[in-house]
Amino acid sequence: MSIARRLVVEADGGSRGNPGPAGYGAVVIDAATGETLAEAAEYIGVATNNVAEYRGLIAGLTAAKALFPDAGDALRVHVRMDSKLVVEQMSGRWKIKHPDMKPLAARAAAILPPSSVTYEWIPRAQNKHADRLANEAMDAGRDGRQWEASASTAELDAPARTPLPDRGPPGDAVAGAAKARAALAAARVGTADAGTLFEVDAGASEEPEPTDVAAVASGGPGPTAVAGVGAGPASASEAASPQVGWAAAPDLGTPATFILLRHGETLLTPEKRFSGSGGTDPELSAVGRDQAARAALHFAALGTVQDIVCSPLRRCRETAAAVADRLGLDVRIEDGLRESDFGAWEGLTFGEVRERYGDDLTAWLADPETAPTGGGESFTEVADRVAAARDRLTARYAGRTVLVVTHVTPIKTLVRLALEAPAQSMFRMELSAASISTVAYYGDGNASVRLLNDTSHLR
């Protein structure tokens, strides 16, 4: 009779740009002792967060199987990840619709018998070892080299692990929802040891974290937060902490909150003409100046804006100046917030572009890598630029509320990236002139979309 081997796999993946330079990390842990048995990490080129997370899972399961190749059915692996998407899909509770995810999920499922693997979602703070490995891999790729285990310091950042008593994990599908809720309640009132390796922590709630649109549309169980991390409050003081979606984030502090204001109308706006950074740089029209003034009154009454940044294009600078004059603030120019360059389409209507450049337009609508005719920017290029600007601004304005005056494409891109939605989702967002959208960015990298296309201040 084979000796049971019980292992824990912690895995993570990341993408700097989503899609952008990506890497994964995975660690295999002895469930009985908490000892690290194996580490794996790799830079995988340009990919999305979700692809990198699945690649981390595959690497972790592969490493676990390689440690005990002859264990057969005696091998038991408990996977812990901070990706609700991967955990729910691999547990069979969410459907897998995205074409990039299906083959990766199939690869992961084929490594070990399904009965040998269980899954648990954990907060990102409890997945530091794998997260650090993924970041080491991305750093290595940035420097043009491969990750090397001998140079890794990821384990130094890992939290201390308590050996697991010889019992099943209460938070996975085997134990069921009733035991999960009981363990969660016990942990919140301090009657259970939430620090053991498989115990459900107060933060491991049933509410989902950010997922891609395909997973949300598939109708997963229970309410799905737009974005955020799950962490149930353990005290009254923690319960008062900022909220992300439906879940509290007691340890993340005040987020950097971006109030995204689209500029007021120009003469091109009501005619629905392409007006990017490669065109005439029009000024605000009379209607646009009135919209900017109304926005200024709104933000003065609100009293929450602490800083203002804006695109270098004239229509944004004029809109930002109207608000800044009312609030008595300076305006900082951020070049990464400029509108997309629409190449030869600048100044044309959608119909005119379809008539003159029909094939190019069709390709642009279908593929985010395709640029407009004549050397414009693709959505992928814009996303990389906007994500870099976002990272600079969240670092500069951590914990502050910032008015970000910019354009349609950058605002839709920031919302899309916060939701981890595909590029095509941008064609399904309405964004009016001088509308307000809001995204909050937390210290652990998660984002919460709080408002989209609000125009109530203009009425």
Side-chain angles (χ1 to χ4, degrees):
M1 182 176 178
S2 300
I3 298 175
R5 299 286 187 179
R6 299 169 63 243
L7 304 176
V8 176
V9 166
E10 294 177 350
D12 198 11
S15 171
R16 295 171 180 172
N18 197 30
Y24 67 75
V27 55
V28 183
I29 303 158
D30 187 318
T33 65
E35 177 188 0
T36 296
L37 302 179
E39 292 178 321
E42 184 183 7
Y43 173 69
I44 60 174
V46 175
T48 65
N49 280 330
N50 295 150
V51 167
E53 288 163 348
Y54 262 109
R55 290 287 300 274
L57 170 63
I58 291 168
L61 291 174
T62 300
K65 183 178 181 179
L67 286 170
F68 302 102
D70 300 323
D73 293 339
L75 183 62
R76 294 289 184 267
V77 177
H78 186 62
V79 176
R80 294 157 46 96
M81 299 182 68
D82 60 57
S83 170
K84 191 72 169 179
L85 176 78
V86 175
V87 168
E88 294 298 322
Q89 288 182 343
M90 293 303 298
S91 298
R93 292 184 288 268
W94 287 3
K95 295 180 181 178
I96 305 172
K97 292 187 175 182
H98 197 288
D100 291 343
M101 301 301 110
K102 289 182 179 180
L104 293 171
R107 283 177 59 189
I111 296 169
L112 292 169
S115 60
S116 298
V117 186
T118 54
Y119 291 88
E120 176 190 359
W121 176 84
I122 57 174
R124 184 169 298 183
Q126 294 182 19
N127 203 26
K128 287 184 177 180
H129 194 161
D131 176 77
R132 178 64 181 270
L133 287 169
N135 277 284
E136 286 183 352
M138 286 185 279
D139 290 343
R142 177 198 61 200
D143 299 337
R145 54 185 176 82
Q146 286 296 322
W147 176 84
E148 296 180 3
S150 60
S152 175
T153 60
E155 189 168 13
L156 299 178
D157 292 338
R161 301 185 178 101
T162 303
L164 174 72
D166 191 15
R167 52 188 167 88
D172 68 310
V174 175
K179 288 186 178 179
R181 286 192 293 271
L184 177 59
R188 284 178 173 168
V189 298
T191 59
D193 178 12
T196 55
L197 203 53
F198 285 166
E199 281 291 337
V200 175
D201 181 76
S205 66
E206 292 180 340
E207 293 114 354
E209 67 162 352
T211 64
D212 70 10
V213 170
V216 175
S218 69
T224 301
V226 170
V229 295
S235 66
S237 62
E238 289 179 350
S241 299
Q243 297 285 317
V244 189
W246 277 278
D251 59 339
L252 300 182
T254 304
T257 301
F258 288 5
I259 301 176
L260 307 172
L261 175 65
R262 185 190 170 193
H263 61 78
E265 284 190 10
T266 72
L267 293 178
L268 299 179
T269 306
E271 298 180 3
K272 298 186 181 300
R273 296 185 178 275
F274 283 92
S275 181
S277 58
T280 58
D281 195 14
E283 63 182 355
L284 294 179
S285 64
V287 171
R289 289 192 293 273
D290 178 68
Q291 291 170 332
R294 289 174 182 267
L297 288 172
H298 169 73
F299 291 120
L302 204 60
T304 57
V305 173
Q306 297 172 288
D307 303 277
I308 302 176
V309 298
C310 84
S311 156
L313 298 186
R314 184 175 182 178
R315 52 197 182 272
C316 284
R317 288 188 284 108
E318 290 177 346
T319 302
V323 180
D325 289 346
R326 172 71 63 169
L327 301 185
L329 296 174
D330 294 328
V331 177
R332 182 182 183 89
I333 302 299
E334 170 55 63
D335 186 65
L337 297 173
R338 68 185 186 276
E339 181 57 287
S340 175
D341 184 345
F342 293 112
W345 303 350
E346 295 278 0
L348 302 179
T349 66
F350 190 87
E352 289 169 341
V353 172
R354 182 170 293 284
E355 181 179 346
R356 301 182 193 182
Y357 308 104
D359 291 342
D360 290 351
L361 180 62
T362 298
W364 179 73
L365 293 171
D367 182 7
E369 301 283 346
T370 299
T373 311
E377 289 180 288
S378 70
F379 280 138
T380 297
E381 292 171 322
V382 174
D384 289 344
R385 165 165 59 81
V386 170
R390 173 203 62 196
D391 293 346
R392 288 193 295 271
L393 294 175
T394 53
R396 175 182 289 273
Y397 298 109
R400 298 179 68 81
T401 298
V402 186
L403 179 66
V404 179
V405 186
T406 181
H407 310 263
V408 168
T409 308
I411 293 175
K412 288 185 176 182
T413 298
L414 288 168
V415 171
R416 174 182 81 79
L417 294 175
L419 297 174
E420 297 188 355
Q424 285 76 11
S425 66
M426 294 172 61
F427 296 121
R428 292 166 175 78
M429 299 183 204
E430 178 70 23
L431 208 64
S432 304
S435 64
I436 297 171
S437 304
T438 305
V439 181
Y441 296 94
Y442 287 82
D444 69 341
N446 276 293
S448 174
V449 177
R450 297 181 171 180
L451 189 68
L452 181 67
N453 196 39
D454 179 24
T455 57
S456 60
H457 58 289
L458 302 178
R459 296 194 288 272

